[in-house]
Amino acid sequence: MSEDLERESMEYDVVIVGGGPAGLSAAIRLKQMAEKAGTEISVALLEKGSEVGAHILSGAVIDPKGLAELFPNWKELGAPLETPVTKDRFKLLGPQGELSLPMFAMPPFMHNHGCYIASLGNLTRWLAGKAEELGVEIYPGFAASDLVWNEDGSVKGVVVGVVGIAKDGHHKPDFQPGMELHGKYVFIAEGVRGSLAKQLIAKFNLDEGKSPQKYGIGVKELWQVPPEKHQPGLAEHTTGWPLDNNTGGGSFMYHFGDNYVAIGYVVHLSYKNPWISPFDEFQRFKQHPGIKPYLEGGKRIAYGARAITEGGYQSVPKLTFPGGALIGCSAGFVNVPRIKGSHNAVKTGMLAAEAAYEAVQAGRTSDELTAYQASYDTSWVAKELKIVRNAKPLLGKFGTALGGAFGMADMWLNHVTGGAFGLFGTMKHEKTDAASTGLAKDFQPIVYPKPDGVISFDKLSSVFLSATNHEEDQPAHLKLKDPSIPIAVNLPKYGEPARLYCPAGVYEVLYNEQGQDPRFQINAQNCVHCKTCDIKDPSQNIVWTTPEGGGGPNYPNM
């Protein structure tokens, strides 16, 4: 795309990229503060999905702690957190059996009582309504595809709404060069591994002195089960089978709403075996005799997948840059042992908003919101992440069994001392998830069971349920730095794992009739925007960029 295109621009006090819990909470907090003070502040929020919530996917057991600070009367206002957790279970699975682990042995923060089972997508839709009531301008279907810079190198705004570019790069009749939205401050709330956040972290060295960010891939299905099988308020987690001791991950199953069962599987992307397919591990998991009965007689009604930030305390980058801030999962505030991050996203959005509001009122623009970094450093978000900071690196170092035991002991000690003291100090993550991938020759290929179409399914029928759609005649948003690498490097060295780690069948290695002459094919229209390829590709050759706004999945009740 040419940089010298003439674009119209619009000016705002704050521009927010991303309509998830962090972005919406920031927008709401800015307007709340202005309303309380009797002043004005202009806020624009951009969402690349067709509507707010279309790209939101989470388990989700939601801790209402952050929401209660944003809206103390959230229950009276009708926030869609309708199913409190009433039964909390954690199990260790073997190939055929299961062992319930005692909840009393786990630190109090690992218990889910006081939390709610809900659709995070529906919660963001509700938050969007509240934001609009306060005067926030929300633009769904607008992908922020690029950054705009001031002459001094600070962030000025973003480019949005570029449409009508054909696959071959020519401008179609409906071509629009997009607009520039300028803000005194720009908040990046894209979620995990956002394309603009990636640029900013690299340009301003925001991760200097930090451990590499770590990730997981979460694959989720929503089922509707017979009423007699539904247990409203049940939150069950498992670890163990079908993964081996050296591959981290586990499942979640939550019963809520209209006979809904949200069931999913998370695989830590630090896995070594390049033959692993997280999607197929999930399908295999559902066939376990301790899991299958919950789903029998039910119907699968939705599917999706999303990467999860897992680096925690030691991987959180510097949060501010000249002209803006990273909030929510763009910075990575997920508490991995709790499998929760939305409450931290809400809170960090509020903290950034408070810093930006004071800066705008003081007449400042495009500088660093140092007050946001300072407030995070002393917040309950940082304290919560510090307490669990070693859980993930211990799993990586010692495996699921021993690492889990060490992690539990370390979390107990940190809980008792408020994060001041643990058994292991603060451990580092040694390498990226891409660099953790082993060579294909060192592992046995995995032959996964064929799906039965009742409990387990294939990728393409699953993607159909995600309602994913992209304008076909547009440049592929999945870009290869070097088109030769998938076949020349990744296939002989790693078995080309993109065809396995992608949960949507985007990547294929195709052969001719003689089983020779392999070629790499990208089915970009299948992409559910999980970002796993950008994270796990061992050659770091795949770059995820934003497609035209409105493209991607349309998740209901996820």
Side-chain angles (χ1 to χ4, degrees), residues 518-550:
R519 63 184 177 87
F520 191 61
Q521 180 164 300
I522 300 177
N523 307 307
Q525 68 274 17
N526 288 8
C527 177
V528 294
H529 298 200
C530 74
K531 316 287 180 67
T532 305
C533 54
D534 197 295
I535 296 162
K536 186 61 176 170
D537 176 31
S539 298
Q540 285 296 277
N541 187 50
I542 301 174
V543 180
W544 194 98
T545 61
T546 51
E548 285 187 8

Side-chain angles (χ1 to χ4, degrees), residues 184-513:
K184 292 171 182 170
Y185 297 98
V186 176
F187 289 175
I188 304 299
E190 298 170 297
V192 181
R193 193 75 166 195
S195 48
L196 299 185
K198 228 175 112 175
Q199 288 181 48
L200 290 162
I201 290 168
K203 180 178 174 66
F204 293 110
N205 297 316
L206 302 182
D207 55 356
E208 188 176 355
K210 306 289 186 176
S211 280
Q213 186 58 267
K214 305 293 283 184
Y215 300 90
I217 172 66
V219 185
K220 175 184 175 181
E221 295 173 350
L222 186 66
W223 286 65
Q224 206 155 27
V225 299
E228 65 273 14
K229 295 214 167 183
H230 196 235
Q231 301 182 43
L234 170 64
E236 180 177 299
H237 298 92
T238 75
T239 190
W241 190 89
L243 300 178
D244 62 30
N245 187 57
N246 295 317
T247 307
S251 77
F252 59 86
M253 179 173 62
Y254 308 139
H255 290 232
F256 73 110
D258 183 19
N259 295 325
Y260 289 142
V261 174
I263 186 165
Y265 210 85
V266 176
V267 176
H268 302 327
L269 288 174
S270 54
Y271 66 79
K272 295 183 177 67
N273 185 347
W275 301 106
I276 284 175
S277 164
F279 173 89
D280 292 297
E281 295 293 349
F282 172 43
Q283 301 306 317
R284 182 155 63 169
F285 153 79
K286 287 184 293 170
Q287 298 284 3
H288 190 278
I291 305 300
K292 187 177 180 180
Y294 288 106
L295 304 176
E296 286 178 313
K299 183 183 180 185
R300 187 178 72 144
I301 57 176
Y303 167 84
R306 192 74 176 93
I308 306 162
T309 49
E310 293 188 342
Y313 184 75
Q314 51 273 66
S315 296
V316 173
K318 182 184 175 188
L319 301 178
T320 63
F321 48 85
L326 303 175
I327 60 177
C329 276
S330 284
F333 299 114
V334 170
N335 182 322
V336 174
R338 292 189 75 199
I339 328 176
K340 291 179 183 59
S342 61
H343 61 304
N344 291 339
V346 168
K347 180 63 173 176
T348 57
M350 293 172 66
L351 294 176
E354 288 158 8
Y357 177 81
E358 296 299 338
V360 170
Q361 295 308 308
R364 290 161 46 201
T365 181
S366 299
D367 59 357
E368 290 218 27
L369 295 170
T370 53
Y372 167 43
Q373 181 74 54
S375 59
Y376 161 74
D377 289 339
T378 57
S379 69
W380 51 255
V381 178
K383 183 179 178 182
E384 178 180 315
L385 294 181
K386 192 175 183 184
I387 286 172
V388 302
R389 65 192 182 276
N390 291 328
K392 168 83 175 174
L394 283 166
L395 287 174
K397 192 172 181 67
F398 296 106
T400 300
L402 197 55
F406 283 156
M408 201 62 68
D410 189 66
M411 285 192 293
W412 261 113
L413 195 50
N414 271 292
H415 169 67
V416 171
T417 63
F421 183 75
L423 294 173
F424 301 93
T426 298
M427 299 175 68
K428 292 182 177 179
H429 304 298
E430 297 301 331
K431 54 173 89 166
T432 66
D433 292 328
S436 301
T437 312
L439 299 176
K441 67 179 178 62
D442 295 333
F443 298 89
Q444 281 293 110
I446 301 171
V447 180
Y448 288 102
K450 281 201 167 100
D452 61 14
V454 179
I455 300 295
S456 54
F457 303 90
D458 64 90
K459 284 183 182 178
L460 292 184
S461 67
S462 301
V463 173
F464 178 78
L465 283 182
S466 71
T468 294
N469 185 52
H470 294 90
E471 166 59 45
E472 284 204 25
D473 189 17
Q474 63 172 309
H477 64 281
L478 302 157
K479 302 185 185 304
L480 301 177
K481 294 177 187 174
D482 181 344
S484 72
I485 280 179
I487 300 303
V489 179
N490 284 358
L491 186 60
K493 282 185 75 174
Y494 308 104
E496 188 38 273
R499 62 197 174 86
L500 295 168
Y501 59 59
C502 173
V506 170
Y507 302 100
E508 292 182 281
V509 176
L510 302 177
Y511 296 86
N512 64 16
E513 290 180 1

Side-chain angles (χ1 to χ4, degrees), residues 37-59:
T39 59
E40 288 291 326
I41 192 163
S42 58
V43 183
L45 184 144
L46 305 161
E47 167 53 46
K48 68 180 172 69
S50 59
E51 62 166 349
V52 170
H55 291 179
I56 297 291
L57 183 145
S58 182

